[in-house]
Amino acid sequence: MLKPEQAIERLQGLLDEATQREAQTNHAINLRKKLVEQGSLLLRSYKDLIKQMARTGISTKHINKIKTEAVYEYQQHVNVLAQLKRMNADARSQVYDFTQVLEELKPNDSI
């Protein structure tokens, strides 16, 4: 059985880890958002590129392969972004829960 001071100390450590995890996932989300934006721009530019390639005689099979790879890569970034957002929400929830429990465990200093 933990003493109250030990429990508070352990909970504070868990809170620090959750806070750090939230900050890390938030940073990763911001980076991934930039990749998704760039991928979106790239896909829009591929439309014009594909039209030009078709006019120059490049095979439709080759053009479709390039387009499929670009869409796949873009979708991967979107999926990772969704995962990061879920992880960030979990970390934020843990920070909130740990903070609430710590507030209840800490003795009141006010008289």
Side-chain angles (χ1 to χ4, degrees):
M1 189 78 170
L2 292 175
K3 294 179 181 178
E5 298 82 26
Q6 291 172 321
I8 289 172
E9 191 175 301
R10 184 172 288 177
L11 196 55
Q12 184 64 49
L14 292 172
L15 174 61
D16 293 344
E17 287 175 19
T19 302
Q20 184 179 15
R21 195 168 51 252
E22 180 187 14
Q24 288 171 341
T25 55
N26 196 37
H27 180 68
I29 286 169
N30 290 334
L31 292 175
R32 191 60 64 158
K33 279 182 181 178
K34 289 179 184 176
L35 287 173
V36 168
E37 288 172 11
Q38 290 174 352
S40 180
L41 289 172
L42 186 63
L43 286 178
R44 280 188 247 135
S45 68
Y46 266 128
K47 240 189 245 184
D48 296 331
L49 180 63
I50 287 170
K51 288 177 187 175
Q52 289 175 358
M53 289 171 76
R55 282 187 221 124
T56 60
I58 295 176
S59 73
T60 307
K61 184 179 177 181
H62 184 68
I63 292 170
N64 286 336
K65 182 181 176 188
I66 292 170
K67 181 181 173 187
T68 302
E69 288 173 1
V71 169
Y72 177 77
E73 187 175 317
Y74 174 78
Q75 194 59 45
Q76 291 294 98
H77 288 306
V78 170
N79 291 341
V80 170
L81 180 61
Q83 284 179 313
L84 287 169
K85 285 183 176 183
R86 282 191 294 274
M87 291 168 59
N88 186 262
D90 290 344
R92 189 178 307 119
S93 176
Q94 286 180 342
V95 167
Y96 178 79
D97 292 344
F98 291 151
T99 302
Q100 294 301 313
V101 172
L102 270 174
E103 291 299 318
E104 291 175 14
L105 288 178
K106 286 185 178 177
N108 288 337
D109 293 334
S110 60
I111 297 176

